[in-house]
Amino acid sequence: MTAYRILSLDGGGIRGLLSLVLLQRLEKELPGWLDRTDLLAGTSTGGMIALGLAHGVSLAELREIYEKRGKCVLHGSWLDNVRNLGGTRGAEYRTKNLRAEVRRVFGNARLADLKKRVLIPAFDLDNGKAGERCWAPKFFHNFPGPDSDGDQLARKVALYATAAPTYFPSVDGYIDGGIVANNPSMAALAITQDHRAFRRSPPEHDRIALLSVGTGKSLLRITGKTHDWGYVQWAKPILDMILDGVAGVADYQCRQILGNRYHRLAPVFPRGMAIRFDAVDKIPELVTFAESRDIAGTVAWLKKVWR
């Protein structure tokens, strides 16, 4: 019998809308399954969704934010484009509209005030540790213990989690955790084994259920066998390669450790359909794609394992 249930949500910018539509469809098939989740882990846009759900925001409300406010958040003026030389000397977007939105959603709620446990990856550009000062991953969480981030404001963590390089400026020295855990499944599984986070014994692997939800995979590739490239040539594809790569590693690790107690719902876009993180003009296309995906396998897995 399952004792601990984890929902993990990938990063992907506006493509988080795809995850929300999939979650809504699952909730329609199995009402109440989401309420039984013990831990919500999310990276970047997935972190925003995870924090929202833990704060009590409904799937419908979150979807409305993406569909109606996405264009406002991901809005860059022609003047911004001139100032940053077409994205070569500055981020694509300012954080002003995003700050306003997360303040509206979360107010002054702290991670400790949330209704669920959360794990939100970010990346600290300068950890400030004496003798070990360097950049390092940071996993914000509200589990009890000496390293708890319970006093952190949820809206602040949401900004840290979504500060994707080239898209948004860093916030308080943090950037998007997608560069280390775009699929945070393995990080979520790891924290369940931390004795400091559990007052009683951590749950055994055979009593954990982990559902990992993606934001759509594009069939990107680089043809040819030899690429004598430098900084300029690698700059464009490298971020997508890193995000896809770290997501694949986490998928492999969780599948090997948990077996059939792990399930990955990650639709693959058809050839030629590549949706950028900021493609707000593709919102209708994203919704149509998400509504057409076959979720029967995920429903069957939830019925069997999420009990």
Side-chain angles (χ1 to χ4, degrees):
M1 183 176 179
T2 298
Y4 205 83
R5 301 162 187 82
I6 304 168
L7 174 61
S8 173
L9 300 163
D10 282 17
I14 197 63
R15 296 193 332 234
L17 177 58
L18 187 152
S19 300
L20 284 167
V21 175
L22 291 173
L23 292 175
Q24 278 190 309
R25 293 180 62 202
L26 292 173
E27 184 67 18
K28 184 176 180 180
E29 292 285 338
L30 298 168
W33 76 271
L34 191 55
D35 292 337
R36 302 181 69 191
T37 303
D38 297 291
L39 170 61
L40 291 156
T43 298
S44 191
T45 192
M48 187 77 73
I49 295 170
L51 288 166
L53 292 174
H55 188 49
V57 184
S58 71
L59 289 172
E61 290 173 301
L62 289 169
R63 177 174 172 176
E64 184 177 21
I65 290 171
Y66 277 71
E67 290 184 310
K68 294 187 177 181
R69 305 293 295 168
K71 290 182 180 180
C72 179
V73 169
L74 295 169
H75 173 73
S77 69
W78 67 268
L79 185 57
D80 287 334
N81 204 38
V82 170
R83 285 171 178 163
N84 64 28
L85 299 182
T88 60
R89 291 191 60 184
E92 289 275 352
Y93 308 104
R94 303 296 96 195
T95 57
K96 178 182 177 182
N97 293 342
L98 180 57
R99 284 179 186 274
E101 193 62 26
V102 296
R103 180 180 287 276
R104 184 186 69 81
V105 173
F106 297 109
N108 290 320
R110 304 170 305 149
L111 295 190
D113 301 324
L114 301 180
K115 299 178 175 67
K116 299 278 187 180
R117 298 293 187 209
V118 294
L119 180 73
I120 312 294
F123 194 81
D124 191 349
L125 298 176
D126 181 357
N127 64 13
K129 289 184 178 179
E132 297 181 18
R133 194 165 182 176
C134 62
W135 56 39
K138 167 63 180 176
F139 295 90
F140 289 93
H141 67 83
N142 57 357
F143 285 89
D147 65 342
S148 177
D149 301 295
D151 285 337
Q152 288 279 348
L153 292 173
R155 57 182 166 85
K156 281 282 193 178
V157 175
L159 289 174
Y160 303 156
T162 53
T166 75
Y167 289 97
F168 288 107
S170 62
V171 179
D172 295 343
Y174 292 100
I175 61 172
D176 193 313
I179 63 172
V180 291
N182 201 48
N183 170 358
S185 297
M186 189 60 197
L189 179 58
I191 202 170
T192 68
Q193 303 306 297
D194 188 341
H195 287 266
R196 296 172 303 169
F198 289 83
R199 291 170 182 170
R200 292 175 292 181
S201 298
E204 299 290 337
H205 288 158
D206 61 0
R207 300 194 69 195
I208 294 173
L210 199 166
L211 173 61
S212 175
V213 180
T215 58
K217 179 178 175 61
S218 298
L219 296 174
L220 302 175
R221 57 178 177 157
I222 297 175
T223 58
K225 300 298 182 182
T226 303
H227 304 89
D228 186 14
W229 289 358
Y231 293 115
V232 174
Q233 294 96 331
W234 281 114
K236 186 175 181 180
I238 198 69
L239 183 58
D240 287 328
M241 292 171 67
I242 290 172
L243 297 180
D244 285 348
V246 297
V249 169
D251 179 53
Y252 171 78
Q253 292 169 328
C254 289
R255 201 173 298 278
Q256 295 301 310
I257 294 172
L258 294 180
N260 63 8
R261 301 196 67 79
Y262 168 79
H263 181 83
R264 175 86 167 151
L265 176 58
V268 178
F269 294 129
R271 177 68 65 188
M273 182 180 177
I275 298 180
R276 285 171 49 89
F277 290 179
D278 59 347
V280 291
D281 59 316
K282 301 287 187 180
I283 285 176
E285 192 174 343
L286 265 176
V287 172
T288 298
F289 177 76
E291 289 178 340
S292 67
R293 295 306 90 195
D294 183 2
I295 61 170
T298 306
V299 171
W301 180 84
L302 286 170
K303 287 181 177 178
K304 181 179 179 180
V305 179
W306 207 262
R307 296 179 288 112

